[in-house]
Amino acid sequence: QKSRCSVSFSAPEQELLCIFGTGDFGRSLGQRLLHSGYRVVYGSRRPHSCGPLPQGCLCVLQAMSHEAAAQLASLVFLCIHREHYDFLETLTPQLQGKVLVDVSNNPKKNLYPEANAECLQRLIPGAHVVKAFNTLSAWALQNGPSDANRQVYLCGNGAEAKQAVAEVATKLGFAALDKGSLSAAKELEDFPLQLFPEWRMPLYVAVGLTALIFVYVVIRDVVYAFVEQGKDNSFRIMVSLANKVFPIVSLIMLSLCYLPGVIAGFIQLYRGTKYRRFPDWLDRWMLCRKQLGLIALGFAFLHMVYTLIIPIRYYVRFRLSANTISQIRENRTSVFDTTTAWRTDSYYSIGILGFSLFLLLGITSLPSVSNALSWREFSFIQSKLGYLTVFFCTLHTYLYGWSGFLRPYKWYMPPAYMLSLVLPSVLIVLKLLLLLPCVDRSLTRIRQGWERTDMQDGSEKPLLT
């Protein structure tokens, strides 16, 4: 008689989580949890008419009343707005001892005297409230963590409750960052309401420079022509003057992107150590270098586009045709100038090279690209090629000016491109000073941890070797 044996393998039961709320965020969160191996149940005011729920390959999500759903899970996500918190007081027995994850945000700052999570903890004192996931969007949950949106900030008074939420965030592919007790919930709720906090100073600088240079070129090229020559050149404001403003602002902003690094180098040389903080203004300046560079790239791109449309402008076509007719009538021919040909070709070539390097800097600053580079590769592109970009763009401007530096100024006002050369020229000179072998050797030692001996107290022993 043959014996038959059967072996049965039982998969471990998946953890069940509860979500209150079937809106966009609640549905996206449920779908992400389902794909990460969790079982999910929804609590809804209208469980039979809450719309389609996300489906999994092995299980189907179901919706039920808040009371029934709260009893099934030990961890509950509250994907509801604060104005709907009142019904939770009736669920105090069901939520007793549960971990409540508050993901809510307010439409504006200081709308309530206390944070939403603190209000929730006051309504249900027996629950363990954790503020988390409020800095993520429904889109980020649906598509998974991106390079720029991997962190989940959380705060709460219970260490075990925060650990449980951190484990869920980790399983979803995010990095949990503990911000402390529940008193930090106000800060977390204000975080999504910030509008470009790191871009404010660069944008202010860009707008200020644009307005200042625009007024300057209008006075020099439009007002001067009208007052002194009786010409109306106001039509040049839309393209010609704009195409003067964009490259000037771009070159100045690019120089401002690299100037703080050079200043920091001289400060370290002066102090003889890298272990002292930089001044606050320099710290803030260095923190917004990426934004300064990207805004500069945007102005450079506008300069490139405006330059490409120059041949199709009515003013340019009119002058070309008028010049051709004039030469025919006078029976004369323009002599080919080799020097001008060399200058213009060099001017365009250097400009194309500078803009190409500019694009490379912008692309490698993207998190998805920079994360694929080693620190040495990223430093080489952003530092070495960055200064090369400044050099090419500055040389491009010098070739554009050529002999214009010696021409008489209108109303004693030099051309605007001359003003744009001051900062990058100073930057290049200062950088060359730092590249001198004796200076570079000392700066490298300082950045490797060496400190200059303090001679004021009579000690010759270095603070750190």
Side-chain angles (χ1 to χ4, degrees), residues 350-428:
I350 295 299
I352 293 172
L353 290 175
F355 184 70
S356 300
L357 290 175
F358 217 150
L359 284 177
L360 179 62
L361 295 177
I363 292 173
T364 53
S365 68
L366 298 175
S368 57
V369 178
S370 61
N371 288 345
L373 301 174
S374 66
W375 169 248
R376 186 176 183 182
E377 294 169 341
F378 181 78
S379 177
F380 174 79
I381 294 175
Q382 293 294 326
S383 180
K384 304 295 190 300
L385 296 186
Y387 285 106
L388 186 62
T389 304
V390 175
F391 173 77
F392 276 146
C393 293
T394 305
L395 180 60
H396 171 70
T397 308
Y398 272 108
L399 291 174
Y400 171 79
W402 198 249
S403 59
F405 296 95
L406 305 177
R407 295 173 186 170
Y409 298 157
K410 301 176 182 178
W411 284 345
Y412 302 100
M413 300 172 65
Y417 66 83
M418 290 188 183
L419 303 180
S420 70
L421 287 171
V422 175
L423 197 59
S425 300
V426 171
L427 172 63
I428 292 174

Side-chain angles (χ1 to χ4, degrees), residues 167-216:
E167 290 177 359
V168 174
T170 303
K171 197 168 183 179
L172 294 183
F174 298 97
L177 182 61
D178 191 350
K179 300 294 287 186
S181 65
L182 203 59
S183 59
K186 190 74 171 178
E187 177 185 353
L188 296 187
E189 292 173 5
D190 290 342
F191 184 80
L193 300 177
Q194 297 178 357
L195 183 62
F196 303 116
E198 298 177 351
W199 290 79
R200 288 180 183 176
M201 189 178 78
L203 288 174
Y204 290 154
V205 173
V207 172
L209 282 174
T210 303
L212 182 64
I213 296 171
F214 179 77
V215 172
Y216 186 88

Side-chain angles (χ1 to χ4, degrees), residues 265 268-269 272-273 434 436-452:
Q268 289 177 336
L269 284 172
T273 179
L434 291 180
L436 293 176
C438 56
V439 179
D440 180 66
R441 190 181 307 113
S442 299
L443 185 59
T444 301
R445 292 182 63 194
I446 291 173
R447 290 176 174 174
Q448 290 176 349
W450 176 84
E451 289 190 325
R452 186 172 57 232

Side-chain angles (χ1 to χ4, degrees), residues 335-356:
V335 179
F336 182 79
D337 189 351
T338 306
T339 303
T340 303
W342 264 103
R343 181 183 73 85
T344 53
D345 285 359
S346 301
Y347 160 72
Y348 288 121
S349 178
I350 295 299
I352 293 172
L353 290 175
F355 184 70
S356 300

